[in-house]
Amino acid sequence: MSDHRPAVTARAPAKVNLLLQVGPVRDDGFHDLVTVFQAVSVHEDVTATPAADWGLTVEAAGGADVSGVPLDGSNLALRAARLLAERAGVDEPVHLHVRKEVPVAGGMAGGSADAAAALVACDALWQLRTGLDGLATLGAELGSDVPFGLHGRTAVGTGRGEQLVPVLTRGSFHWVFVLDPAGLSTPRVFAECDRRRGPGWGPPPADVRLEAVEAALRGGDAEALAAALSNDLAEAACALAPQLTRTLAAGRAAGALAAVVSGSGPTVALLTASAASAQDVVAELVPVVGQGRLRTASGPVPGARVLEALAPGGQ
Ligand code: C5P
């Protein structure tokens, strides 16, 4: 037993997709993507504590509604911890406590961030030193967005989103996120996208849209980035959640440089010119959607990392 070992807390970020190009459905049911992820300062904190048996508790932070989060073995954080234990030959159950700030089923990869944080916390607790690449390989088995939760910052994602190449960026970008209480199922949004396109859809082209996003990021140019943001899942998300069309329009009317659906939605991401203008956009939107649905954040931020780890003996 290792009950004398202290708890370890790791933090992982949410993401927004700056570009999301969706190809045809593959034989394995996934879609090939060309995407650009940016990690933003909305976080999940996962604390791993040695315990007699595997377990999980969830706490809401910043007004997140956690009622839809599974607490059993299907929870992605718990699956991540058990997968790491199995592969590393560790027989030391942990209790995971998840502090959730990222909206559930919101298109910001909150569940993937939980898995990423759980991998990093358990790796530190069990002193495995698996390394980022090893954890990302395990993470890809758990979900397409988990490797990005580990890497963080800004990256181009291909394959099903799990193959990552970092992108050079200058400065910070400032976002307002408009949460939607409805939640959207990612598989449903992809299926609706397929349905709307019909058969014979070609692979996502590596076209000028990616170059435009990369150039805007390199230059730290929020206006150019605003012009380059796009999401192939937006139409499908708006078809399944028609209120999103109004939210996107309200965001633009409130002074955002651009409004896009975040991933598969229903969270709407508003890119603003500065931290101050993000606050102005929030002030405009409070009477429209209510304070409780608004979050400000900036990106890029780092991927999953240990917040506190006291080694045995306090080293
Ligand atoms: O990988 P993840 O578990 O996040 O994916 C959830 C679902 O989203 C998949 O089962 C699939 O229906 C859809 N998906 C997809 N193509 C991707 C990523 C996700 O079709 N590249």
Side-chain angles (χ1 to χ4, degrees), residues 258-307:
V260 283
V261 174
S262 178
S264 56
T267 303
V268 164
L270 307 176
L271 180 61
T272 64
S274 64
S277 71
Q279 292 304 334
D280 292 343
V281 168
V282 167
E284 288 288 323
L285 284 176
V286 165
V288 185
V289 301
Q291 179 91 53
R293 287 180 53 198
L294 297 164
R295 300 277 178 285
T296 55
S298 62
V301 297
R305 62 201 189 280
V306 169
L307 283 187

Tab-separated table of all heavy atoms in Angstrom, residues 258-307:
chain	number	residue	atom	x	y	z
A	258	ALA	N	-15.399	38.255	-34.028
A	258	ALA	CA	-15.985	37.104	-34.715
A	258	ALA	C	-16.707	36.233	-33.705
A	258	ALA	O	-16.373	36.250	-32.511
A	258	ALA	CB	-14.899	36.272	-35.406
A	259	ALA	N	-17.690	35.495	-34.193
A	259	ALA	CA	-18.432	34.546	-33.358
A	259	ALA	C	-18.446	33.211	-34.080
A	259	ALA	O	-18.805	33.153	-35.256
A	259	ALA	CB	-19.858	35.043	-33.142
A	260	VAL	N	-18.014	32.150	-33.389
A	260	VAL	CA	-18.025	30.807	-33.991
A	260	VAL	C	-18.552	29.794	-32.981
A	260	VAL	O	-18.446	30.001	-31.763
A	260	VAL	CB	-16.609	30.323	-34.430
A	260	VAL	CG1	-16.165	30.970	-35.715
A	260	VAL	CG2	-15.584	30.515	-33.331
A	261	VAL	N	-19.080	28.704	-33.498
A	261	VAL	CA	-19.430	27.582	-32.636
A	261	VAL	C	-18.117	26.929	-32.207
A	261	VAL	O	-17.211	26.734	-33.017
A	261	VAL	CB	-20.317	26.570	-33.396
A	261	VAL	CG1	-20.570	25.331	-32.543
A	261	VAL	CG2	-21.629	27.231	-33.813
A	262	SER	N	-18.004	26.605	-30.920
A	262	SER	CA	-16.791	25.953	-30.412
A	262	SER	C	-16.906	24.440	-30.616
A	262	SER	O	-17.791	23.800	-30.040
A	262	SER	CB	-16.641	26.275	-28.926
A	262	SER	OG	-15.496	25.625	-28.415
A	263	GLY	N	-16.032	23.872	-31.446
A	263	GLY	CA	-16.058	22.432	-31.704
A	263	GLY	C	-17.427	21.989	-32.190
A	263	GLY	O	-17.983	22.564	-33.125
A	264	SER	N	-18.012	20.989	-31.515
A	264	SER	CA	-19.336	20.509	-31.910
A	264	SER	C	-20.447	21.265	-31.185
A	264	SER	O	-21.614	20.900	-31.290
A	264	SER	CB	-19.437	19.001	-31.640
A	264	SER	OG	-19.148	18.732	-30.294
A	265	GLY	N	-20.093	22.328	-30.449
A	265	GLY	CA	-21.078	23.157	-29.767
A	265	GLY	C	-21.629	22.467	-28.523
A	265	GLY	O	-21.222	21.348	-28.198
A	266	PRO	N	-22.571	23.120	-27.866
A	266	PRO	CA	-23.238	24.368	-28.236
A	266	PRO	C	-22.572	25.639	-27.703
A	266	PRO	O	-23.150	26.724	-27.841
A	266	PRO	CB	-24.623	24.208	-27.619
A	266	PRO	CG	-24.360	23.440	-26.361
A	266	PRO	CD	-23.206	22.510	-26.686
A	267	THR	N	-21.401	25.550	-27.070
A	267	THR	CA	-20.752	26.780	-26.619
A	267	THR	C	-20.400	27.632	-27.834
A	267	THR	O	-19.936	27.110	-28.854
A	267	THR	CB	-19.466	26.458	-25.827
A	267	THR	OG1	-19.815	25.599	-24.731
A	267	THR	CG2	-18.815	27.713	-25.291
A	268	VAL	N	-20.629	28.949	-27.707
A	268	VAL	CA	-20.240	29.885	-28.764
A	268	VAL	C	-19.002	30.636	-28.294
A	268	VAL	O	-18.940	31.102	-27.148
A	268	VAL	CB	-21.405	30.858	-29.084
A	268	VAL	CG1	-20.923	32.062	-29.873
A	268	VAL	CG2	-22.492	30.107	-29.868
A	269	ALA	N	-18.003	30.720	-29.175
A	269	ALA	CA	-16.746	31.400	-28.848
A	269	ALA	C	-16.717	32.740	-29.562
A	269	ALA	O	-16.911	32.808	-30.775
A	269	ALA	CB	-15.566	30.535	-29.297
A	270	LEU	N	-16.493	33.802	-28.782
A	270	LEU	CA	-16.404	35.152	-29.350
A	270	LEU	C	-14.966	35.620	-29.222
A	270	LEU	O	-14.418	35.674	-28.112
A	270	LEU	CB	-17.329	36.101	-28.587
A	270	LEU	CG	-18.791	35.657	-28.445
A	270	LEU	CD1	-19.565	36.653	-27.582
A	270	LEU	CD2	-19.438	35.518	-29.819
A	271	LEU	N	-14.354	35.940	-30.351
A	271	LEU	CA	-12.989	36.475	-30.320
A	271	LEU	C	-13.082	37.992	-30.207
A	271	LEU	O	-13.853	38.624	-30.938
A	271	LEU	CB	-12.242	36.075	-31.595
A	271	LEU	CG	-10.793	36.562	-31.689
A	271	LEU	CD1	-9.929	36.016	-30.553
A	271	LEU	CD2	-10.190	36.172	-33.046
A	272	THR	N	-12.298	38.548	-29.277
A	272	THR	CA	-12.350	39.992	-29.060
A	272	THR	C	-10.956	40.589	-29.273
A	272	THR	O	-9.966	39.865	-29.348
A	272	THR	CB	-12.858	40.328	-27.642
A	272	THR	OG1	-11.907	39.824	-26.692
A	272	THR	CG2	-14.214	39.697	-27.375
A	273	ALA	N	-10.911	41.914	-29.349
A	273	ALA	CA	-9.662	42.588	-29.718
A	273	ALA	C	-8.673	42.659	-28.559
A	273	ALA	O	-7.463	42.774	-28.773
A	273	ALA	CB	-9.978	43.990	-30.229
A	274	SER	N	-9.164	42.595	-27.313
A	274	SER	CA	-8.294	42.761	-26.141
A	274	SER	C	-9.045	42.268	-24.908
A	274	SER	O	-10.255	42.018	-24.974
A	274	SER	CB	-7.956	44.247	-25.950
A	274	SER	OG	-9.156	44.953	-25.664
A	275	ALA	N	-8.323	42.185	-23.785
A	275	ALA	CA	-8.988	41.792	-22.534
A	275	ALA	C	-10.069	42.814	-22.171
A	275	ALA	O	-11.155	42.451	-21.701
A	275	ALA	CB	-7.956	41.671	-21.410
A	276	ALA	N	-9.770	44.091	-22.427
A	276	ALA	CA	-10.753	45.140	-22.094
A	276	ALA	C	-11.985	45.007	-22.980
A	276	ALA	O	-13.124	45.140	-22.495
A	276	ALA	CB	-10.115	46.520	-22.272
A	277	SER	N	-11.791	44.727	-24.264
A	277	SER	CA	-12.985	44.631	-25.112
A	277	SER	C	-13.765	43.356	-24.807
A	277	SER	O	-14.986	43.315	-25.005
A	277	SER	CB	-12.667	44.814	-26.591
A	277	SER	OG	-11.985	43.715	-27.075
A	278	ALA	N	-13.088	42.315	-24.298
A	278	ALA	CA	-13.833	41.131	-23.851
A	278	ALA	C	-14.799	41.527	-22.732
A	278	ALA	O	-15.953	41.074	-22.704
A	278	ALA	CB	-12.873	40.037	-23.374
A	279	GLN	N	-14.320	42.381	-21.817
A	279	GLN	CA	-15.205	42.828	-20.725
A	279	GLN	C	-16.369	43.653	-21.271
A	279	GLN	O	-17.501	43.554	-20.786
A	279	GLN	CB	-14.413	43.659	-19.696
A	279	GLN	CG	-13.382	42.862	-18.900
A	279	GLN	CD	-13.988	41.658	-18.174
A	279	GLN	OE1	-15.164	41.640	-17.840
A	279	GLN	NE2	-13.184	40.630	-17.948
A	280	ASP	N	-16.095	44.472	-22.300
A	280	ASP	CA	-17.175	45.261	-22.908
A	280	ASP	C	-18.222	44.351	-23.556
A	280	ASP	O	-19.430	44.599	-23.453
A	280	ASP	CB	-16.603	46.204	-23.990
A	280	ASP	CG	-15.724	47.296	-23.385
A	280	ASP	OD1	-15.823	47.527	-22.160
A	280	ASP	OD2	-14.928	47.905	-24.147
A	281	VAL	N	-17.744	43.298	-24.230
A	281	VAL	CA	-18.671	42.355	-24.873
A	281	VAL	C	-19.532	41.675	-23.804
A	281	VAL	O	-20.751	41.531	-23.961
A	281	VAL	CB	-17.888	41.321	-25.725
A	281	VAL	CG1	-18.780	40.164	-26.151
A	281	VAL	CG2	-17.263	42.003	-26.942
A	282	VAL	N	-18.889	41.288	-22.686
A	282	VAL	CA	-19.648	40.669	-21.588
A	282	VAL	C	-20.726	41.629	-21.092
A	282	VAL	O	-21.896	41.244	-20.922
A	282	VAL	CB	-18.702	40.255	-20.430
A	282	VAL	CG1	-19.503	39.919	-19.174
A	282	VAL	CG2	-17.848	39.064	-20.847
A	283	ALA	N	-20.338	42.896	-20.895
A	283	ALA	CA	-21.307	43.880	-20.376
A	283	ALA	C	-22.498	44.013	-21.324
A	283	ALA	O	-23.650	44.112	-20.882
A	283	ALA	CB	-20.620	45.233	-20.183
A	284	GLU	N	-22.235	43.984	-22.632
A	284	GLU	CA	-23.326	44.061	-23.619
A	284	GLU	C	-24.217	42.821	-23.567
A	284	GLU	O	-25.417	42.910	-23.811
A	284	GLU	CB	-22.743	44.171	-25.037
A	284	GLU	CG	-22.103	45.496	-25.362
A	284	GLU	CD	-23.140	46.613	-25.532
A	284	GLU	OE1	-24.222	46.333	-26.077
A	284	GLU	OE2	-22.861	47.739	-25.083
A	285	LEU	N	-23.600	41.664	-23.304
A	285	LEU	CA	-24.348	40.406	-23.401
A	285	LEU	C	-25.085	40.019	-22.121
A	285	LEU	O	-26.018	39.215	-22.179
A	285	LEU	CB	-23.405	39.262	-23.802
A	285	LEU	CG	-23.002	39.241	-25.280
A	285	LEU	CD1	-21.993	38.120	-25.537
A	285	LEU	CD2	-24.221	39.047	-26.185
A	286	VAL	N	-24.683	40.588	-20.977
A	286	VAL	CA	-25.330	40.202	-19.713
A	286	VAL	C	-26.848	40.356	-19.794
A	286	VAL	O	-27.589	39.412	-19.454
A	286	VAL	CB	-24.738	40.977	-18.506
A	286	VAL	CG1	-25.634	40.850	-17.282
A	286	VAL	CG2	-23.345	40.455	-18.183
A	287	PRO	N	-27.361	41.490	-20.304
A	287	PRO	CA	-28.832	41.591	-20.367
A	287	PRO	C	-29.457	40.621	-21.367
A	287	PRO	O	-30.645	40.308	-21.267
A	287	PRO	CB	-29.071	43.044	-20.830
A	287	PRO	CG	-27.768	43.738	-20.764
A	287	PRO	CD	-26.685	42.713	-20.773
A	288	VAL	N	-28.676	40.140	-22.328
A	288	VAL	CA	-29.238	39.273	-23.381
A	288	VAL	C	-29.267	37.807	-22.939
A	288	VAL	O	-30.274	37.125	-23.079
A	288	VAL	CB	-28.406	39.403	-24.692
A	288	VAL	CG1	-29.049	38.602	-25.826
A	288	VAL	CG2	-28.244	40.866	-25.084
A	289	VAL	N	-28.136	37.316	-22.394
A	289	VAL	CA	-28.072	35.882	-22.066
A	289	VAL	C	-27.932	35.613	-20.566
A	289	VAL	O	-28.090	34.465	-20.133
A	289	VAL	CB	-26.899	35.180	-22.805
A	289	VAL	CG1	-27.042	35.308	-24.310
A	289	VAL	CG2	-25.547	35.679	-22.337
A	290	GLY	N	-27.619	36.647	-19.792
A	290	GLY	CA	-27.436	36.471	-18.342
A	290	GLY	C	-25.972	36.217	-18.005
A	290	GLY	O	-25.267	35.519	-18.740
A	291	GLN	N	-25.543	36.766	-16.889
A	291	GLN	CA	-24.144	36.664	-16.441
A	291	GLN	C	-23.677	35.220	-16.327
A	291	GLN	O	-22.533	34.882	-16.655
A	291	GLN	CB	-24.032	37.343	-15.060
A	291	GLN	CG	-22.671	37.313	-14.427
A	291	GLN	CD	-21.861	38.544	-14.796
A	291	GLN	OE1	-22.324	39.669	-14.619
A	291	GLN	NE2	-20.675	38.337	-15.309
A	292	GLY	N	-24.584	34.348	-15.880
A	292	GLY	CA	-24.212	32.961	-15.593
A	292	GLY	C	-23.751	32.185	-16.808
A	292	GLY	O	-23.105	31.144	-16.677
A	293	ARG	N	-24.080	32.661	-18.000
A	293	ARG	CA	-23.703	31.925	-19.218
A	293	ARG	C	-22.442	32.474	-19.860
A	293	ARG	O	-22.060	32.026	-20.944
A	293	ARG	CB	-24.864	31.964	-20.221
A	293	ARG	CG	-26.021	31.062	-19.812
A	293	ARG	CD	-27.143	31.122	-20.824
A	293	ARG	NE	-26.682	30.853	-22.179
A	293	ARG	CZ	-27.367	31.163	-23.280
A	293	ARG	NH1	-28.546	31.758	-23.176
A	293	ARG	NH2	-26.890	30.886	-24.477
A	294	LEU	N	-21.779	33.441	-19.216
A	294	LEU	CA	-20.635	34.100	-19.856
A	294	LEU	C	-19.334	33.817	-19.122
A	294	LEU	O	-19.279	33.857	-17.891
A	294	LEU	CB	-20.885	35.617	-19.896
A	294	LEU	CG	-22.096	36.012	-20.742
A	294	LEU	CD1	-22.536	37.442	-20.434
A	294	LEU	CD2	-21.766	35.865	-22.224
A	295	ARG	N	-18.292	33.482	-19.863
A	295	ARG	CA	-16.948	33.289	-19.302
A	295	ARG	C	-15.954	34.035	-20.175
A	295	ARG	O	-16.037	33.943	-21.408
A	295	ARG	CB	-16.504	31.822	-19.363
A	295	ARG	CG	-17.354	30.831	-18.639
A	295	ARG	CD	-17.003	30.765	-17.156
A	295	ARG	NE	-17.892	29.825	-16.509
A	295	ARG	CZ	-19.171	30.076	-16.227
A	295	ARG	NH1	-19.712	31.240	-16.535
A	295	ARG	NH2	-19.922	29.155	-15.668
A	296	THR	N	-15.006	34.715	-19.564
A	296	THR	CA	-13.897	35.264	-20.349
A	296	THR	C	-12.699	34.338	-20.169
A	296	THR	O	-12.553	33.671	-19.140
A	296	THR	CB	-13.512	36.673	-19.878
A	296	THR	OG1	-13.231	36.626	-18.486
A	296	THR	CG2	-14.617	37.681	-20.152
A	297	ALA	N	-11.858	34.304	-21.180
A	297	ALA	CA	-10.650	33.475	-21.108
A	297	ALA	C	-9.654	33.995	-22.130
A	297	ALA	O	-10.019	34.721	-23.060
A	297	ALA	CB	-10.989	32.016	-21.411
A	298	SER	N	-8.395	33.583	-21.945
A	298	SER	CA	-7.386	33.925	-22.949
A	298	SER	C	-6.625	32.664	-23.329
A	298	SER	O	-6.626	31.659	-22.607
A	298	SER	CB	-6.431	34.996	-22.406
A	298	SER	OG	-5.760	34.484	-21.276
A	299	GLY	N	-6.010	32.723	-24.486
A	299	GLY	CA	-5.206	31.599	-24.948
A	299	GLY	C	-4.084	32.115	-25.822
A	299	GLY	O	-4.158	33.247	-26.304
A	300	PRO	N	-3.035	31.364	-26.044
A	300	PRO	CA	-2.881	29.991	-25.583
A	300	PRO	C	-2.401	29.894	-24.133
A	300	PRO	O	-1.785	30.821	-23.610
A	300	PRO	CB	-1.804	29.443	-26.530
A	300	PRO	CG	-1.004	30.634	-26.956
A	300	PRO	CD	-1.943	31.794	-26.952
A	301	VAL	N	-2.722	28.739	-23.515
A	301	VAL	CA	-2.214	28.404	-22.172
A	301	VAL	C	-1.590	27.005	-22.257
A	301	VAL	O	-1.849	26.267	-23.207
A	301	VAL	CB	-3.333	28.442	-21.098
A	301	VAL	CG1	-3.916	29.839	-20.954
A	301	VAL	CG2	-4.434	27.431	-21.396
A	302	PRO	N	-0.763	26.644	-21.261
A	302	PRO	CA	-0.094	25.330	-21.310
A	302	PRO	C	-1.059	24.159	-21.191
A	302	PRO	O	-2.192	24.322	-20.730
A	302	PRO	CB	0.836	25.356	-20.096
A	302	PRO	CG	0.886	26.761	-19.637
A	302	PRO	CD	-0.363	27.425	-20.100
A	303	GLY	N	-0.570	22.981	-21.563
A	303	GLY	CA	-1.335	21.756	-21.406
A	303	GLY	C	-1.308	21.260	-19.967
A	303	GLY	O	-0.870	21.978	-19.054
A	304	ALA	N	-1.776	20.035	-19.770
A	304	ALA	CA	-1.938	19.478	-18.423
A	304	ALA	C	-0.618	19.499	-17.655
A	304	ALA	O	0.429	19.121	-18.181
A	304	ALA	CB	-2.456	18.045	-18.526
A	305	ARG	N	-0.671	19.938	-16.411
A	305	ARG	CA	0.550	20.023	-15.601
A	305	ARG	C	0.208	19.869	-14.124
A	305	ARG	O	-0.918	20.179	-13.711
A	305	ARG	CB	1.271	21.347	-15.839
A	305	ARG	CG	0.458	22.545	-15.445
A	305	ARG	CD	0.951	23.809	-16.139
A	305	ARG	NE	0.302	25.007	-15.615
A	305	ARG	CZ	-0.915	25.412	-15.965
A	305	ARG	NH1	-1.644	24.699	-16.788
A	305	ARG	NH2	-1.416	26.516	-15.446
A	306	VAL	N	1.194	19.437	-13.366
A	306	VAL	CA	0.992	19.254	-11.924
A	306	VAL	C	0.949	20.612	-11.253
A	306	VAL	O	1.780	21.483	-11.509
A	306	VAL	CB	2.127	18.393	-11.338
A	306	VAL	CG1	2.099	18.415	-9.814
A	306	VAL	CG2	2.013	16.957	-11.850
A	307	LEU	N	-0.051	20.810	-10.395
A	307	LEU	CA	-0.143	22.061	-9.650
A	307	LEU	C	0.621	21.965	-8.344
A	307	LEU	O	1.234	22.902	-7.899
A	307	LEU	CB	-1.600	22.391	-9.329
A	307	LEU	CG	-2.458	22.961	-10.445
A	307	LEU	CD1	-3.799	23.381	-9.869
A	307	LEU	CD2	-1.784	24.145	-11.129
